[in-house]
Amino acid sequence: MKERQRVVGLSNNASVASPEAKFEAAAWTIADSPPEWLTRALAYFGPGITSMRDPFDIGERFVRMRDACDTLMKGLPAYLHMPFDLQTQETEAAKLVLQLLPTIKENLDQFTKSRSGRKPIVSRIICAAVIVEAWKLLHGKVERRSDKVYEACEVYWQACGGPASDIENWRRLVEKVSANSEEWIVKRLAAFRVVQN
């Protein structure tokens, strides 16, 4: 007999609940009597997570951007060799872009390394990272193998518009994002916390 999936939902009326109520429900899965700032922070990240759910291959976009960096790095130096009477402020802009492009390309190279297995769903990774970082902020640490953390991820995912799934699907993502701190998420969560205090 097939093991029954452990699917959680916001409520029987989740489809008619307001966005604020959905994010508040997600906040309650992270903490009993959650602080107000937590609901606002979850609502802040929500639209970004939702927009990433659109079906496109982000890896392909990174490849195209990396290739565009190569093209610009080869072509932009032409601006630097213009006769003096043809040099303009675009020449200065080209110098700045040429200074920045190697770092951008290096980052894109990291994103475009070939990997085996399933492609990660970026929106689910960020969803898990928001929950893990909020959990750490409120509880000091996160248990990597915790049904409560997986449930928080699932409820938040559904609040962001994601389809219901087995909470065990969050295990690998929670372990992955728990290993490293996502500083950009931590900073934004801390900013929400400071505003309330």
PDB file of all heavy atoms in Angstrom, residues 72-109:
ATOM      1  N   LEU A  72      29.977  41.573 -24.940  1.00  0.00           N
ATOM      2  CA  LEU A  72      30.275  42.946 -24.524  1.00  0.00           C
ATOM      3  C   LEU A  72      31.746  43.121 -24.173  1.00  0.00           C
ATOM      4  O   LEU A  72      32.343  44.161 -24.478  1.00  0.00           O
ATOM      5  CB  LEU A  72      29.401  43.336 -23.333  1.00  0.00           C
ATOM      6  CG  LEU A  72      27.928  43.590 -23.654  1.00  0.00           C
ATOM      7  CD1 LEU A  72      27.114  43.703 -22.368  1.00  0.00           C
ATOM      8  CD2 LEU A  72      27.774  44.849 -24.495  1.00  0.00           C
ATOM      9  N   MET A  73      32.346  42.115 -23.535  1.00  0.00           N
ATOM     10  CA  MET A  73      33.759  42.221 -23.160  1.00  0.00           C
ATOM     11  C   MET A  73      34.649  42.279 -24.396  1.00  0.00           C
ATOM     12  O   MET A  73      35.717  42.901 -24.372  1.00  0.00           O
ATOM     13  CB  MET A  73      34.149  41.061 -22.245  1.00  0.00           C
ATOM     14  CG  MET A  73      33.548  41.204 -20.849  1.00  0.00           C
ATOM     15  SD  MET A  73      33.621  39.726 -19.808  1.00  0.00           S
ATOM     16  CE  MET A  73      35.367  39.512 -19.593  1.00  0.00           C
ATOM     17  N   LYS A  74      34.195  41.671 -25.485  1.00  0.00           N
ATOM     18  CA  LYS A  74      34.969  41.717 -26.738  1.00  0.00           C
ATOM     19  C   LYS A  74      34.690  42.994 -27.530  1.00  0.00           C
ATOM     20  O   LYS A  74      35.579  43.523 -28.178  1.00  0.00           O
ATOM     21  CB  LYS A  74      34.642  40.499 -27.599  1.00  0.00           C
ATOM     22  CG  LYS A  74      35.163  39.207 -27.029  1.00  0.00           C
ATOM     23  CD  LYS A  74      34.706  38.017 -27.846  1.00  0.00           C
ATOM     24  CE  LYS A  74      35.109  36.717 -27.173  1.00  0.00           C
ATOM     25  NZ  LYS A  74      34.473  35.552 -27.782  1.00  0.00           N
ATOM     26  N   GLY A  75      33.450  43.487 -27.478  1.00  0.00           N
ATOM     27  CA  GLY A  75      33.070  44.622 -28.317  1.00  0.00           C
ATOM     28  C   GLY A  75      33.257  45.994 -27.702  1.00  0.00           C
ATOM     29  O   GLY A  75      33.606  46.953 -28.398  1.00  0.00           O
ATOM     30  N   LEU A  76      33.027  46.132 -26.403  1.00  0.00           N
ATOM     31  CA  LEU A  76      33.086  47.454 -25.770  1.00  0.00           C
ATOM     32  C   LEU A  76      34.457  48.130 -25.823  1.00  0.00           C
ATOM     33  O   LEU A  76      34.517  49.362 -25.859  1.00  0.00           O
ATOM     34  CB  LEU A  76      32.605  47.379 -24.329  1.00  0.00           C
ATOM     35  CG  LEU A  76      31.096  47.375 -24.130  1.00  0.00           C
ATOM     36  CD1 LEU A  76      30.752  47.243 -22.647  1.00  0.00           C
ATOM     37  CD2 LEU A  76      30.446  48.620 -24.695  1.00  0.00           C
ATOM     38  N   PRO A  77      35.569  47.401 -25.842  1.00  0.00           N
ATOM     39  CA  PRO A  77      36.856  48.102 -25.919  1.00  0.00           C
ATOM     40  C   PRO A  77      36.990  49.010 -27.144  1.00  0.00           C
ATOM     41  O   PRO A  77      37.804  49.937 -27.146  1.00  0.00           O
ATOM     42  CB  PRO A  77      37.879  46.961 -25.957  1.00  0.00           C
ATOM     43  CG  PRO A  77      37.221  45.874 -25.178  1.00  0.00           C
ATOM     44  CD  PRO A  77      35.768  45.976 -25.574  1.00  0.00           C
ATOM     45  N   ALA A  78      36.161  48.817 -28.160  1.00  0.00           N
ATOM     46  CA  ALA A  78      36.202  49.701 -29.329  1.00  0.00           C
ATOM     47  C   ALA A  78      35.922  51.148 -28.919  1.00  0.00           C
ATOM     48  O   ALA A  78      36.474  52.089 -29.505  1.00  0.00           O
ATOM     49  CB  ALA A  78      35.180  49.242 -30.366  1.00  0.00           C
ATOM     50  N   TYR A  79      35.083  51.357 -27.903  1.00  0.00           N
ATOM     51  CA  TYR A  79      34.801  52.707 -27.415  1.00  0.00           C
ATOM     52  C   TYR A  79      36.061  53.379 -26.869  1.00  0.00           C
ATOM     53  O   TYR A  79      36.186  54.591 -26.903  1.00  0.00           O
ATOM     54  CB  TYR A  79      33.758  52.662 -26.285  1.00  0.00           C
ATOM     55  CG  TYR A  79      32.333  52.720 -26.751  1.00  0.00           C
ATOM     56  CD1 TYR A  79      31.585  51.554 -26.874  1.00  0.00           C
ATOM     57  CD2 TYR A  79      31.717  53.928 -27.031  1.00  0.00           C
ATOM     58  CE1 TYR A  79      30.271  51.592 -27.285  1.00  0.00           C
ATOM     59  CE2 TYR A  79      30.397  53.976 -27.437  1.00  0.00           C
ATOM     60  CZ  TYR A  79      29.681  52.802 -27.561  1.00  0.00           C
ATOM     61  OH  TYR A  79      28.381  52.857 -27.964  1.00  0.00           O
ATOM     62  N   LEU A  80      36.960  52.583 -26.350  1.00  0.00           N
ATOM     63  CA  LEU A  80      38.149  53.146 -25.717  1.00  0.00           C
ATOM     64  C   LEU A  80      39.187  53.601 -26.730  1.00  0.00           C
ATOM     65  O   LEU A  80      40.152  54.286 -26.370  1.00  0.00           O
ATOM     66  CB  LEU A  80      38.762  52.117 -24.762  1.00  0.00           C
ATOM     67  CG  LEU A  80      37.809  51.509 -23.739  1.00  0.00           C
ATOM     68  CD1 LEU A  80      38.544  50.507 -22.863  1.00  0.00           C
ATOM     69  CD2 LEU A  80      37.168  52.578 -22.883  1.00  0.00           C
ATOM     70  N   HIS A  81      39.026  53.220 -27.992  1.00  0.00           N
ATOM     71  CA  HIS A  81      40.020  53.552 -29.023  1.00  0.00           C
ATOM     72  C   HIS A  81      39.458  54.518 -30.063  1.00  0.00           C
ATOM     73  O   HIS A  81      39.982  54.614 -31.161  1.00  0.00           O
ATOM     74  CB  HIS A  81      40.516  52.266 -29.687  1.00  0.00           C
ATOM     75  CG  HIS A  81      41.133  51.313 -28.710  1.00  0.00           C
ATOM     76  ND1 HIS A  81      42.321  51.568 -28.076  1.00  0.00           N
ATOM     77  CD2 HIS A  81      40.700  50.131 -28.216  1.00  0.00           C
ATOM     78  CE1 HIS A  81      42.606  50.579 -27.244  1.00  0.00           C
ATOM     79  NE2 HIS A  81      41.630  49.690 -27.298  1.00  0.00           N
ATOM     80  N   MET A  82      38.425  55.250 -29.685  1.00  0.00           N
ATOM     81  CA  MET A  82      37.852  56.247 -30.590  1.00  0.00           C
ATOM     82  C   MET A  82      38.782  57.459 -30.633  1.00  0.00           C
ATOM     83  O   MET A  82      39.424  57.785 -29.627  1.00  0.00           O
ATOM     84  CB  MET A  82      36.480  56.697 -30.086  1.00  0.00           C
ATOM     85  CG  MET A  82      35.475  55.575 -29.973  1.00  0.00           C
ATOM     86  SD  MET A  82      34.746  55.251 -31.530  1.00  0.00           S
ATOM     87  CE  MET A  82      33.039  55.504 -31.134  1.00  0.00           C
ATOM     88  N   PRO A  83      38.824  58.136 -31.763  1.00  0.00           N
ATOM     89  CA  PRO A  83      39.601  59.390 -31.808  1.00  0.00           C
ATOM     90  C   PRO A  83      39.038  60.369 -30.778  1.00  0.00           C
ATOM     91  O   PRO A  83      37.872  60.302 -30.416  1.00  0.00           O
ATOM     92  CB  PRO A  83      39.369  59.906 -33.232  1.00  0.00           C
ATOM     93  CG  PRO A  83      38.869  58.727 -34.000  1.00  0.00           C
ATOM     94  CD  PRO A  83      38.222  57.803 -33.023  1.00  0.00           C
ATOM     95  N   PHE A  84      39.871  61.305 -30.329  1.00  0.00           N
ATOM     96  CA  PHE A  84      39.466  62.227 -29.256  1.00  0.00           C
ATOM     97  C   PHE A  84      38.182  62.985 -29.558  1.00  0.00           C
ATOM     98  O   PHE A  84      37.371  63.217 -28.687  1.00  0.00           O
ATOM     99  CB  PHE A  84      40.585  63.223 -28.946  1.00  0.00           C
ATOM    100  CG  PHE A  84      41.737  62.571 -28.251  1.00  0.00           C
ATOM    101  CD1 PHE A  84      42.928  62.353 -28.912  1.00  0.00           C
ATOM    102  CD2 PHE A  84      41.618  62.164 -26.930  1.00  0.00           C
ATOM    103  CE1 PHE A  84      43.983  61.741 -28.266  1.00  0.00           C
ATOM    104  CE2 PHE A  84      42.670  61.559 -26.285  1.00  0.00           C
ATOM    105  CZ  PHE A  84      43.862  61.344 -26.955  1.00  0.00           C
ATOM    106  N   ASP A  85      38.003  63.375 -30.805  1.00  0.00           N
ATOM    107  CA  ASP A  85      36.811  64.160 -31.127  1.00  0.00           C
ATOM    108  C   ASP A  85      35.540  63.312 -31.117  1.00  0.00           C
ATOM    109  O   ASP A  85      34.443  63.845 -31.106  1.00  0.00           O
ATOM    110  CB  ASP A  85      36.961  64.886 -32.463  1.00  0.00           C
ATOM    111  CG  ASP A  85      37.268  63.939 -33.619  1.00  0.00           C
ATOM    112  OD1 ASP A  85      37.747  62.813 -33.369  1.00  0.00           O
ATOM    113  OD2 ASP A  85      37.015  64.336 -34.775  1.00  0.00           O
ATOM    114  N   LEU A  86      35.654  61.985 -31.093  1.00  0.00           N
ATOM    115  CA  LEU A  86      34.482  61.117 -31.072  1.00  0.00           C
ATOM    116  C   LEU A  86      34.217  60.523 -29.681  1.00  0.00           C
ATOM    117  O   LEU A  86      33.197  59.880 -29.473  1.00  0.00           O
ATOM    118  CB  LEU A  86      34.625  59.987 -32.088  1.00  0.00           C
ATOM    119  CG  LEU A  86      34.649  60.424 -33.559  1.00  0.00           C
ATOM    120  CD1 LEU A  86      34.858  59.213 -34.455  1.00  0.00           C
ATOM    121  CD2 LEU A  86      33.352  61.124 -33.937  1.00  0.00           C
ATOM    122  N   GLN A  87      35.143  60.729 -28.744  1.00  0.00           N
ATOM    123  CA  GLN A  87      34.925  60.191 -27.396  1.00  0.00           C
ATOM    124  C   GLN A  87      33.838  61.000 -26.702  1.00  0.00           C
ATOM    125  O   GLN A  87      33.812  62.224 -26.774  1.00  0.00           O
ATOM    126  CB  GLN A  87      36.213  60.225 -26.582  1.00  0.00           C
ATOM    127  CG  GLN A  87      37.183  59.160 -27.019  1.00  0.00           C
ATOM    128  CD  GLN A  87      38.338  59.008 -26.047  1.00  0.00           C
ATOM    129  OE1 GLN A  87      38.375  59.646 -25.011  1.00  0.00           O
ATOM    130  NE2 GLN A  87      39.273  58.150 -26.393  1.00  0.00           N
ATOM    131  N   THR A  88      32.950  60.307 -26.065  1.00  0.00           N
ATOM    132  CA  THR A  88      31.813  60.953 -25.403  1.00  0.00           C
ATOM    133  C   THR A  88      31.676  60.383 -23.995  1.00  0.00           C
ATOM    134  O   THR A  88      32.498  59.579 -23.547  1.00  0.00           O
ATOM    135  CB  THR A  88      30.512  60.664 -26.178  1.00  0.00           C
ATOM    136  OG1 THR A  88      30.298  59.251 -26.171  1.00  0.00           O
ATOM    137  CG2 THR A  88      30.589  61.157 -27.617  1.00  0.00           C
ATOM    138  N   GLN A  89      30.600  60.775 -23.327  1.00  0.00           N
ATOM    139  CA  GLN A  89      30.366  60.210 -21.995  1.00  0.00           C
ATOM    140  C   GLN A  89      30.086  58.716 -22.086  1.00  0.00           C
ATOM    141  O   GLN A  89      30.266  57.991 -21.113  1.00  0.00           O
ATOM    142  CB  GLN A  89      29.242  60.938 -21.280  1.00  0.00           C
ATOM    143  CG  GLN A  89      27.883  60.805 -21.925  1.00  0.00           C
ATOM    144  CD  GLN A  89      26.861  61.690 -21.234  1.00  0.00           C
ATOM    145  OE1 GLN A  89      27.199  62.738 -20.686  1.00  0.00           O
ATOM    146  NE2 GLN A  89      25.615  61.277 -21.251  1.00  0.00           N
ATOM    147  N   GLU A  90      29.664  58.225 -23.262  1.00  0.00           N
ATOM    148  CA  GLU A  90      29.479  56.786 -23.428  1.00  0.00           C
ATOM    149  C   GLU A  90      30.811  56.044 -23.282  1.00  0.00           C
ATOM    150  O   GLU A  90      30.843  54.904 -22.857  1.00  0.00           O
ATOM    151  CB  GLU A  90      28.846  56.450 -24.790  1.00  0.00           C
ATOM    152  CG  GLU A  90      27.362  56.735 -24.882  1.00  0.00           C
ATOM    153  CD  GLU A  90      27.058  58.203 -25.166  1.00  0.00           C
ATOM    154  OE1 GLU A  90      27.995  58.969 -25.496  1.00  0.00           O
ATOM    155  OE2 GLU A  90      25.882  58.582 -25.036  1.00  0.00           O
ATOM    156  N   THR A  91      31.910  56.709 -23.609  1.00  0.00           N
ATOM    157  CA  THR A  91      33.231  56.097 -23.444  1.00  0.00           C
ATOM    158  C   THR A  91      33.485  55.827 -21.964  1.00  0.00           C
ATOM    159  O   THR A  91      33.969  54.751 -21.596  1.00  0.00           O
ATOM    160  CB  THR A  91      34.331  57.021 -24.011  1.00  0.00           C
ATOM    161  OG1 THR A  91      34.029  57.326 -25.373  1.00  0.00           O
ATOM    162  CG2 THR A  91      35.698  56.358 -23.931  1.00  0.00           C
ATOM    163  N   GLU A  92      33.143  56.786 -21.117  1.00  0.00           N
ATOM    164  CA  GLU A  92      33.311  56.598 -19.671  1.00  0.00           C
ATOM    165  C   GLU A  92      32.392  55.484 -19.168  1.00  0.00           C
ATOM    166  O   GLU A  92      32.784  54.682 -18.315  1.00  0.00           O
ATOM    167  CB  GLU A  92      33.041  57.907 -18.924  1.00  0.00           C
ATOM    168  CG  GLU A  92      34.076  58.990 -19.187  1.00  0.00           C
ATOM    169  CD  GLU A  92      35.497  58.515 -18.898  1.00  0.00           C
ATOM    170  OE1 GLU A  92      35.739  57.946 -17.812  1.00  0.00           O
ATOM    171  OE2 GLU A  92      36.369  58.716 -19.762  1.00  0.00           O
ATOM    172  N   ALA A  93      31.180  55.431 -19.687  1.00  0.00           N
ATOM    173  CA  ALA A  93      30.247  54.371 -19.295  1.00  0.00           C
ATOM    174  C   ALA A  93      30.798  53.010 -19.716  1.00  0.00           C
ATOM    175  O   ALA A  93      30.709  52.030 -18.971  1.00  0.00           O
ATOM    176  CB  ALA A  93      28.876  54.612 -19.920  1.00  0.00           C
ATOM    177  N   ALA A  94      31.390  52.955 -20.913  1.00  0.00           N
ATOM    178  CA  ALA A  94      31.962  51.698 -21.398  1.00  0.00           C
ATOM    179  C   ALA A  94      33.106  51.243 -20.486  1.00  0.00           C
ATOM    180  O   ALA A  94      33.243  50.051 -20.193  1.00  0.00           O
ATOM    181  CB  ALA A  94      32.455  51.860 -22.838  1.00  0.00           C
ATOM    182  N   LYS A  95      33.911  52.188 -20.000  1.00  0.00           N
ATOM    183  CA  LYS A  95      35.001  51.842 -19.076  1.00  0.00           C
ATOM    184  C   LYS A  95      34.444  51.215 -17.799  1.00  0.00           C
ATOM    185  O   LYS A  95      34.961  50.213 -17.309  1.00  0.00           O
ATOM    186  CB  LYS A  95      35.826  53.089 -18.720  1.00  0.00           C
ATOM    187  CG  LYS A  95      36.715  53.587 -19.826  1.00  0.00           C
ATOM    188  CD  LYS A  95      37.458  54.840 -19.373  1.00  0.00           C
ATOM    189  CE  LYS A  95      38.271  55.447 -20.487  1.00  0.00           C
ATOM    190  NZ  LYS A  95      38.928  56.700 -20.072  1.00  0.00           N
ATOM    191  N   LEU A  96      33.386  51.835 -17.258  1.00  0.00           N
ATOM    192  CA  LEU A  96      32.776  51.323 -16.033  1.00  0.00           C
ATOM    193  C   LEU A  96      32.202  49.920 -16.249  1.00  0.00           C
ATOM    194  O   LEU A  96      32.427  49.014 -15.450  1.00  0.00           O
ATOM    195  CB  LEU A  96      31.677  52.273 -15.550  1.00  0.00           C
ATOM    196  CG  LEU A  96      30.900  51.830 -14.316  1.00  0.00           C
ATOM    197  CD1 LEU A  96      31.830  51.701 -13.114  1.00  0.00           C
ATOM    198  CD2 LEU A  96      29.768  52.798 -14.025  1.00  0.00           C
ATOM    199  N   VAL A  97      31.492  49.755 -17.361  1.00  0.00           N
ATOM    200  CA  VAL A  97      30.895  48.445 -17.658  1.00  0.00           C
ATOM    201  C   VAL A  97      31.990  47.398 -17.820  1.00  0.00           C
ATOM    202  O   VAL A  97      31.861  46.275 -17.317  1.00  0.00           O
ATOM    203  CB  VAL A  97      29.992  48.525 -18.915  1.00  0.00           C
ATOM    204  CG1 VAL A  97      29.557  47.147 -19.377  1.00  0.00           C
ATOM    205  CG2 VAL A  97      28.777  49.404 -18.638  1.00  0.00           C
ATOM    206  N   LEU A  98      33.077  47.745 -18.492  1.00  0.00           N
ATOM    207  CA  LEU A  98      34.174  46.793 -18.671  1.00  0.00           C
ATOM    208  C   LEU A  98      34.816  46.405 -17.343  1.00  0.00           C
ATOM    209  O   LEU A  98      35.333  45.299 -17.201  1.00  0.00           O
ATOM    210  CB  LEU A  98      35.222  47.356 -19.635  1.00  0.00           C
ATOM    211  CG  LEU A  98      34.833  47.280 -21.112  1.00  0.00           C
ATOM    212  CD1 LEU A  98      35.766  48.140 -21.961  1.00  0.00           C
ATOM    213  CD2 LEU A  98      34.833  45.832 -21.597  1.00  0.00           C
ATOM    214  N   GLN A  99      34.787  47.300 -16.352  1.00  0.00           N
ATOM    215  CA  GLN A  99      35.311  46.958 -15.034  1.00  0.00           C
ATOM    216  C   GLN A  99      34.386  45.978 -14.310  1.00  0.00           C
ATOM    217  O   GLN A  99      34.846  45.118 -13.562  1.00  0.00           O
ATOM    218  CB  GLN A  99      35.468  48.211 -14.180  1.00  0.00           C
ATOM    219  CG  GLN A  99      36.605  49.104 -14.605  1.00  0.00           C
ATOM    220  CD  GLN A  99      36.628  50.404 -13.803  1.00  0.00           C
ATOM    221  OE1 GLN A  99      35.700  50.709 -13.066  1.00  0.00           O
ATOM    222  NE2 GLN A  99      37.700  51.173 -13.964  1.00  0.00           N
ATOM    223  N   LEU A 100      33.073  46.120 -14.519  1.00  0.00           N
ATOM    224  CA  LEU A 100      32.090  45.301 -13.807  1.00  0.00           C
ATOM    225  C   LEU A 100      31.834  43.939 -14.461  1.00  0.00           C
ATOM    226  O   LEU A 100      31.507  42.971 -13.769  1.00  0.00           O
ATOM    227  CB  LEU A 100      30.764  46.059 -13.697  1.00  0.00           C
ATOM    228  CG  LEU A 100      30.798  47.366 -12.901  1.00  0.00           C
ATOM    229  CD1 LEU A 100      29.471  48.086 -13.017  1.00  0.00           C
ATOM    230  CD2 LEU A 100      31.139  47.105 -11.453  1.00  0.00           C
ATOM    231  N   LEU A 101      31.958  43.871 -15.773  1.00  0.00           N
ATOM    232  CA  LEU A 101      31.589  42.648 -16.493  1.00  0.00           C
ATOM    233  C   LEU A 101      32.324  41.385 -16.038  1.00  0.00           C
ATOM    234  O   LEU A 101      31.688  40.333 -15.926  1.00  0.00           O
ATOM    235  CB  LEU A 101      31.754  42.838 -18.002  1.00  0.00           C
ATOM    236  CG  LEU A 101      30.603  43.563 -18.690  1.00  0.00           C
ATOM    237  CD1 LEU A 101      30.954  43.851 -20.143  1.00  0.00           C
ATOM    238  CD2 LEU A 101      29.322  42.757 -18.612  1.00  0.00           C
ATOM    239  N   PRO A 102      33.625  41.415 -15.765  1.00  0.00           N
ATOM    240  CA  PRO A 102      34.281  40.165 -15.349  1.00  0.00           C
ATOM    241  C   PRO A 102      33.673  39.557 -14.079  1.00  0.00           C
ATOM    242  O   PRO A 102      33.500  38.339 -13.991  1.00  0.00           O
ATOM    243  CB  PRO A 102      35.741  40.585 -15.121  1.00  0.00           C
ATOM    244  CG  PRO A 102      35.929  41.760 -16.026  1.00  0.00           C
ATOM    245  CD  PRO A 102      34.602  42.484 -15.991  1.00  0.00           C
ATOM    246  N   THR A 103      33.310  40.404 -13.111  1.00  0.00           N
ATOM    247  CA  THR A 103      32.695  39.890 -11.874  1.00  0.00           C
ATOM    248  C   THR A 103      31.321  39.315 -12.166  1.00  0.00           C
ATOM    249  O   THR A 103      30.958  38.244 -11.658  1.00  0.00           O
ATOM    250  CB  THR A 103      32.583  41.019 -10.824  1.00  0.00           C
ATOM    251  OG1 THR A 103      33.890  41.528 -10.588  1.00  0.00           O
ATOM    252  CG2 THR A 103      31.987  40.500  -9.532  1.00  0.00           C
ATOM    253  N   ILE A 104      30.538  40.024 -12.972  1.00  0.00           N
ATOM    254  CA  ILE A 104      29.203  39.528 -13.338  1.00  0.00           C
ATOM    255  C   ILE A 104      29.319  38.199 -14.065  1.00  0.00           C
ATOM    256  O   ILE A 104      28.605  37.247 -13.775  1.00  0.00           O
ATOM    257  CB  ILE A 104      28.454  40.577 -14.190  1.00  0.00           C
ATOM    258  CG1 ILE A 104      28.170  41.824 -13.362  1.00  0.00           C
ATOM    259  CG2 ILE A 104      27.166  39.992 -14.770  1.00  0.00           C
ATOM    260  CD1 ILE A 104      27.670  43.019 -14.153  1.00  0.00           C
ATOM    261  N   LYS A 105      30.258  38.125 -15.020  1.00  0.00           N
ATOM    262  CA  LYS A 105      30.434  36.881 -15.779  1.00  0.00           C
ATOM    263  C   LYS A 105      30.875  35.742 -14.872  1.00  0.00           C
ATOM    264  O   LYS A 105      30.407  34.611 -14.999  1.00  0.00           O
ATOM    265  CB  LYS A 105      31.442  37.067 -16.904  1.00  0.00           C
ATOM    266  CG  LYS A 105      31.568  35.823 -17.766  1.00  0.00           C
ATOM    267  CD  LYS A 105      32.583  35.990 -18.863  1.00  0.00           C
ATOM    268  CE  LYS A 105      32.730  34.735 -19.674  1.00  0.00           C
ATOM    269  NZ  LYS A 105      33.024  33.536 -18.942  1.00  0.00           N
ATOM    270  N   GLU A 106      31.735  36.036 -13.916  1.00  0.00           N
ATOM    271  CA  GLU A 106      32.193  35.011 -12.972  1.00  0.00           C
ATOM    272  C   GLU A 106      31.013  34.450 -12.171  1.00  0.00           C
ATOM    273  O   GLU A 106      30.896  33.242 -11.978  1.00  0.00           O
ATOM    274  CB  GLU A 106      33.235  35.620 -12.034  1.00  0.00           C
ATOM    275  CG  GLU A 106      33.900  34.624 -11.120  1.00  0.00           C
ATOM    276  CD  GLU A 106      34.954  35.308 -10.258  1.00  0.00           C
ATOM    277  OE1 GLU A 106      35.829  35.990 -10.820  1.00  0.00           O
ATOM    278  OE2 GLU A 106      34.874  35.147  -9.024  1.00  0.00           O
ATOM    279  N   ASN A 107      30.123  35.341 -11.708  1.00  0.00           N
ATOM    280  CA  ASN A 107      28.930  34.889 -10.991  1.00  0.00           C
ATOM    281  C   ASN A 107      28.035  34.048 -11.889  1.00  0.00           C
ATOM    282  O   ASN A 107      27.512  33.012 -11.467  1.00  0.00           O
ATOM    283  CB  ASN A 107      28.141  36.076 -10.437  1.00  0.00           C
ATOM    284  CG  ASN A 107      28.835  36.726  -9.266  1.00  0.00           C
ATOM    285  OD1 ASN A 107      29.586  36.079  -8.547  1.00  0.00           O
ATOM    286  ND2 ASN A 107      28.610  38.000  -9.078  1.00  0.00           N
ATOM    287  N   LEU A 108      27.848  34.488 -13.117  1.00  0.00           N
ATOM    288  CA  LEU A 108      27.010  33.733 -14.051  1.00  0.00           C
ATOM    289  C   LEU A 108      27.620  32.379 -14.379  1.00  0.00           C
ATOM    290  O   LEU A 108      26.906  31.400 -14.570  1.00  0.00           O
ATOM    291  CB  LEU A 108      26.762  34.547 -15.326  1.00  0.00           C
ATOM    292  CG  LEU A 108      25.848  35.761 -15.144  1.00  0.00           C
ATOM    293  CD1 LEU A 108      25.900  36.653 -16.377  1.00  0.00           C
ATOM    294  CD2 LEU A 108      24.430  35.331 -14.848  1.00  0.00           C
ATOM    295  N   ASP A 109      28.955  32.315 -14.435  1.00  0.00           N
ATOM    296  CA  ASP A 109      29.622  31.027 -14.668  1.00  0.00           C
ATOM    297  C   ASP A 109      29.270  30.042 -13.559  1.00  0.00           C
ATOM    298  O   ASP A 109      29.078  28.851 -13.816  1.00  0.00           O
ATOM    299  CB  ASP A 109      31.148  31.205 -14.735  1.00  0.00           C
ATOM    300  CG  ASP A 109      31.619  31.805 -16.048  1.00  0.00           C
ATOM    301  OD1 ASP A 109      30.863  31.755 -17.043  1.00  0.00           O
ATOM    302  OD2 ASP A 109      32.749  32.339 -16.082  1.00  0.00           O
TER     303      ASP A 109
END
